[in-house]
Amino acid sequence: MNRCGKIFLSAFFLFCFLGGTVQAAPIKIGVAGAHSGDLASYGLPTLAAVKLVARQANDAGGILGRRVEILSEDDVCKPEIAANIAAKLVSEHVNAVIGHTCSGATRAAVGIYKAARIVTISPSATNPAITNGDYPNFFRTIAPDNAQARQEVDFALNVLHLQKIAVIHDKGDYGKGLAEFVKKFIEQSGRARVVLFSGITPGAVDYSAIVQKIKYKRADAVIFGGYHPEASKLVGQMRRKRLRAVFISDDGVKDDTFIKVAGKYAEGVYATGPRDTSKNPLAKAAVAAYKKVYHQEPGAFFLNAYAATEALLHAINMAGSTDYAQVVKALRHEYVETPLGKISFDKHGEAVGVGFAMYQVRHGQYIEIK
Amino acid sequence: MNYFLDLFFSGLTRGSIYALIALGYTMVYGIIGLINFAHGEIYMIGAFTALIIASLLTVLGMNGMAILVISGLAAMVYAAAYGYTIEKIAYKPLRNSPRLAPLISAIGMSIFLQNYVMLAQTSDFLPFPDLIPNFAFMEPYSDFIGSSDLVILLTTAVAMLLLTIMIKYTRMGRAMRATAQDMQMAMLVGIDVNRVISFTFIIGSVLAAIGGLLIASHVGQINFYIGFIAGIKAFTAAVLGGIGSIPGAVLGGFILGLTESFATGYVSSDYEDVFAFGLLVLILIFRPSGILGRSENQKV
């Protein structure tokens, strides 16, 4: 045995020894996301998912003999609050973070986790720029926006054969990022024209001016990048002004709150969302576990968060420690069975085997279109 | 040309929404020189009350017009009670303090009411029923101006007229003007200043409640945060037109709404706020007290 090996071996034994003495120390997982405010419906299911998985792990004796402890922090999807929360979680020495919910908040926080060498897995932040290689600590169990934009454009051009498309967004990181990809993909295809590319102000009292502009440009479809409050207001005002253009949107709109608020105007709206995994037995078990505790259907990104937590705990188990480098290596190389299917992460941090499908509102429900 | 008219009417609708809320700001400022930041929240509470009463009455099976009238009245009464109470709790004890104190108190009240409604009701968006019926005679014009747009426009005009008449010709109006000019002198000649101020808050709150009901019905959704954004824009409209002046608030609302609409239509909706606030800066440079505001010596 050479010298290197000896050092490694002794380090290994030393590590085991240390592991033995601090066995009682829990594995701390930070859960950061929107737990209040108008986007709470995207963040709370994640918190519930992490709690359920952690409880199961603890009931089974913990991970590596250590209890899993959860530190939940509310960022209300605001980047400035997310940065504060990230600093707080770092100071509390969390081993990993599940979150954040929104792309803007995640972008603000992920650099802080990177500096502290903390693995971060988001169940819902879909902005493509986060996985451009700057953040080796970042992983996600949801496909990025460009995958979603590709799905929307392919559907609009190949299935609906649309010619003139207005691309509208809410000026936010998520909505605008998505809209820019949609515009790029349409222009690359050369088969349809982007007649209007414009941002609207979230929370404005009235969108009739932009509706008139869409009408004036004779768009036969609107592809909207953003969240459901603006989408329901926009589609409602379009229909009231007798504008029948097809409305296609994203997983920020594929939420039952959209149908509840937009009511009859929601009928016929298309939206992309995570592929339907309700046939997966692990997904069924996860949903059943949620219903047992909360007595209602789990909301958006619940299964993504469930999968993220399972992947994280699995990786810690495989790595045999909460050491940053080992956990990252395990996440990249070990496959794990989750409610989303069998997943692993590529070198950018994207989950392999997770994708989007197109849905349409029919009779007050989102139905997957094959 | 058609497109121009479309944009013009969009701007008019948006402008009358701003104007309806701006009237409340401008009235309170005109009497006691206070910017009532909780006014946007009164508007939101009015909308919530209307929603709760309307849902209740729909379950009881009443017809559309009755629901509109009863939920409207309930919203007005409830909002008026809030306006009256806020003035008594948050502003009256601070009437002789430095100007900054009631302003901070108003911001505090605004944050308190937002969070109160969020906790007592929900943080989610709620659907708001179409309380304003679709008039058959408006059908040919529905491409550019709907029934709800028309109702909002008319309500704003009528509210402005009634307020102007009341302030010019009634006893209470004269008392209000006297209080605005010199509160102590008004007290000396026997005007019950407290009553006048309470009355001002009640009228402002009633207007906010009407606005809340009409606008929520026009937009089709509400949540606890709507008052903040609408309030900021309405406040801008009031300043633009000359805060303290009632026709000024309406004019300011229209100018703001039309600017935003034309900016969206002919330039880009990305820059609507840039144009709206750029205009505000320009007007305040050349007319520091707003378009119809009189430049008078500082009161209080």
Side-chain angles (χ1 to χ4, degrees):
Chain A
M1 191 173 275
N2 58 20
R3 235 176 86 197
C4 231
K6 272 180 199 157
I7 292 173
F8 177 75
L9 207 64
S10 49
F12 183 70
F13 281 124
L14 184 69
F15 190 79
C16 286
F17 180 68
L18 281 174
T21 54
V22 293
Q23 201 168 38
I27 296 175
K28 288 186 186 172
I29 298 180
V31 184
H35 301 158
S36 68
D38 50 355
L39 294 172
S41 61
Y42 295 138
L44 287 174
T46 297
L47 184 58
V50 180
K51 279 183 182 162
L52 287 172
V53 177
R55 192 201 291 164
Q56 276 172 16
N58 288 337
D59 288 349
I63 301 292
L64 307 173
R66 296 163 65 180
R67 283 187 59 78
V68 179
E69 192 185 303
I70 293 168
L71 286 81
S72 116
E73 292 291 343
D74 181 10
D75 70 4
V76 282
C77 273
K78 295 217 164 81
E80 64 275 20
I81 299 177
N84 286 340
I85 279 172
K88 188 176 171 207
L89 287 173
V90 168
S91 73
E92 282 167 350
H93 303 292
V94 292
N95 298 108
V97 172
I98 301 289
H100 295 214
T101 308
C102 294
S103 291
T106 308
R107 285 180 75 170
V110 68
I112 298 168
Y113 299 131
K114 180 190 170 190
R117 291 166 65 85
I118 292 172
V119 169
T120 309
I121 310 182
S122 172
S124 52
T126 52
N127 188 294
I130 316 174
T131 50
N132 63 3
D134 287 344
Y135 304 110
N137 62 323
F138 182 77
F139 301 86
R140 61 178 155 212
T141 50
I142 190 161
D145 286 337
N146 42 4
Q148 207 172 163
R150 169 62 67 195
Q151 179 102 21
E152 288 175 39
V153 172
D154 284 351
F155 185 79
L157 300 186
N158 300 340
V159 181
L160 300 175
H161 304 290
L162 299 165
Q163 301 284 320
K164 293 179 189 165
I165 298 171
V167 182
I168 309 289
H169 59 82
D170 69 353
K171 304 189 203 172
D173 264 354
Y174 164 75
K176 193 175 181 188
L178 192 59
E180 275 166 354
F181 276 108
V182 167
K183 182 170 179 254
K184 197 171 95 188
F185 292 148
I186 293 174
E187 280 164 356
Q188 279 169 359
S189 79
R191 283 184 290 151
R193 269 190 317 127
V194 177
V195 291
L196 176 63
F197 182 81
S198 203
I200 54 175
T201 310
V205 289
D206 174 89
Y207 290 137
S208 49
I210 192 77
V211 169
Q212 297 293 9
K213 195 168 188 181
I214 295 168
K215 203 191 269 185
Y216 176 67
K217 299 278 185 185
R218 299 183 191 286
D220 43 24
V222 172
I223 297 185
F224 176 74
Y227 298 104
H228 64 81
E230 279 67 55
S232 53
K233 217 186 278 185
L234 187 61
V235 82
Q237 297 215 329
M238 276 169 61
R239 300 301 183 238
R240 272 177 213 167
K241 297 254 183 243
R242 307 282 187 273
L243 180 59
R244 309 229 174 278
V246 176
F247 195 87
I248 304 173
S249 196
D250 46 48
D251 63 339
V253 172
K254 206 222 147 253
D255 183 284
D256 289 340
T257 316
F258 170 72
I259 301 178
K260 194 182 87 187
V261 173
K264 62 179 180 199
Y265 302 117
E267 278 304 301
V269 165
Y270 296 98
T272 51
R275 199 164 283 149
D276 185 14
T277 48
S278 55
K279 306 273 182 302
N280 185 323
L282 284 173
K284 277 184 191 161
V287 171
Y290 180 89
K291 278 187 182 162
K292 210 170 136 193
V293 182
Y294 299 95
H295 307 291
Q296 58 178 10
E297 291 289 329
F301 310 121
F302 171 75
L303 291 177
N304 303 72
Y306 206 94
T309 319
E310 285 197 326
L312 175 68
L313 295 184
H314 180 79
I316 292 173
N317 219 349
M318 283 291 156
S321 78
T322 50
D323 176 63
Y324 171 72
Q326 309 245 25
V327 173
V328 167
K329 200 173 145 211
L331 279 169
R332 294 231 170 101
H333 296 291
E334 302 289 344
Y335 275 90
V336 56
E337 283 290 349
T338 71
L340 298 179
K342 196 172 177 179
I343 62 168
S344 152
F345 297 91
D346 68 11
K347 64 180 196 308
H348 301 293
E350 306 287 8
V352 181
V354 172
F356 281 97
M358 184 59 84
Y359 295 81
Q360 187 181 26
V361 182
R362 288 181 192 157
H363 308 294
Q365 262 188 323
Y366 272 114
I367 307 288
E368 188 176 345
I369 297 172
K370 301 285 179 214
Chain B
M1 190 59 200
N2 232 332
Y3 182 49
F4 177 84
L5 279 181
D6 284 347
L7 290 177
F8 180 76
F9 281 109
S10 298
L12 222 50
T13 308
R14 204 181 247 225
S16 47
I17 290 174
Y18 293 153
L20 204 50
I21 311 171
L23 283 172
Y25 275 108
T26 215
M27 253 180 61
V28 168
Y29 187 86
I31 306 294
I32 55 171
L34 164 79
I35 296 160
N36 180 15
F37 274 111
H39 189 66
E41 270 51 61
I42 298 286
Y43 152 83
M44 178 264 298
I45 284 170
F48 262 94
T49 315
L51 175 65
I52 293 165
I53 301 292
S55 327
L56 209 71
L57 294 178
T58 315
V59 173
L60 293 176
M62 279 205 190
N63 72 342
M65 211 56 202
I67 293 178
L68 178 65
V69 171
I70 296 176
S71 57
L73 283 175
M76 284 186 228
V77 170
Y78 206 69
Y82 264 92
Y84 178 85
T85 317
I86 288 172
E87 195 269 327
K88 289 281 180 254
I89 293 175
Y91 307 145
K92 195 174 167 224
L94 298 170
R95 206 172 283 161
N96 296 318
S97 329
R99 287 181 73 108
L100 214 52
L103 194 71
I104 301 294
S105 178
I107 293 172
M109 212 61 212
S110 158
I111 295 171
F112 168 77
L113 287 175
Q114 269 179 30
N115 287 280
Y116 162 66
V117 173
M118 182 183 86
L119 293 174
Q121 294 291 328
T122 168
S123 61
D124 249 346
F125 274 87
L126 293 171
F128 198 93
D130 288 331
L131 289 180
I132 304 169
N134 277 318
F135 305 123
F137 67 86
M138 285 303 292
E139 202 52 35
Y141 315 107
S142 61
D143 272 6
F144 54 86
I145 181 162
S147 299
S148 60
D149 303 346
L150 187 76
V151 171
I152 291 173
L153 204 60
L154 288 180
T155 311
T156 308
V158 169
M160 183 192 80
L161 267 179
L162 286 181
L163 278 180
T164 314
I165 290 171
M166 188 196 76
I167 286 173
K168 275 222 165 103
Y169 301 109
T170 63
R171 259 182 92 81
M172 184 48 104
R174 209 177 317 139
M176 283 165 103
R177 275 180 293 151
T179 311
Q181 276 176 10
D182 191 330
M183 205 181 285
Q184 271 189 337
M185 195 61 209
M187 273 193 261
L188 281 177
V189 297
I191 292 170
D192 188 347
V193 170
N194 286 331
R195 217 176 113 237
V196 170
I197 292 172
S198 290
F199 181 77
T200 310
F201 271 87
I202 287 173
I203 293 288
S205 304
V206 165
L207 282 174
I210 297 174
L213 174 108
L214 293 180
I215 295 158
S217 171
H218 171 72
V219 174
Q221 55 174 262
I222 56 172
N223 81 340
F224 70 93
Y225 203 58
I226 52 168
F228 180 75
I229 295 148
I232 290 282
K233 279 293 171 68
F235 174 61
T236 311
V239 172
L240 195 64
I243 193 150
S245 152
I246 286 181
V250 176
L251 186 68
F254 283 150
I255 289 177
L256 195 64
L258 287 172
T259 311
E260 287 183 357
S261 183
F262 286 126
T264 299
Y266 289 118
V267 190
S268 163
S269 57
D270 293 284
Y271 297 110
E272 62 175 25
D273 285 350
V274 176
F275 280 91
F277 288 105
L279 182 80
L280 178 73
V281 171
L282 267 185
I283 286 180
L284 290 187
I285 287 174
F286 293 107
R287 286 196 64 94
S289 48
I291 301 172
L292 295 183
R294 276 164 300 159
S295 50
E296 40 193 286
N297 297 330
Q298 272 303 347
K299 291 173 299 202
V300 184

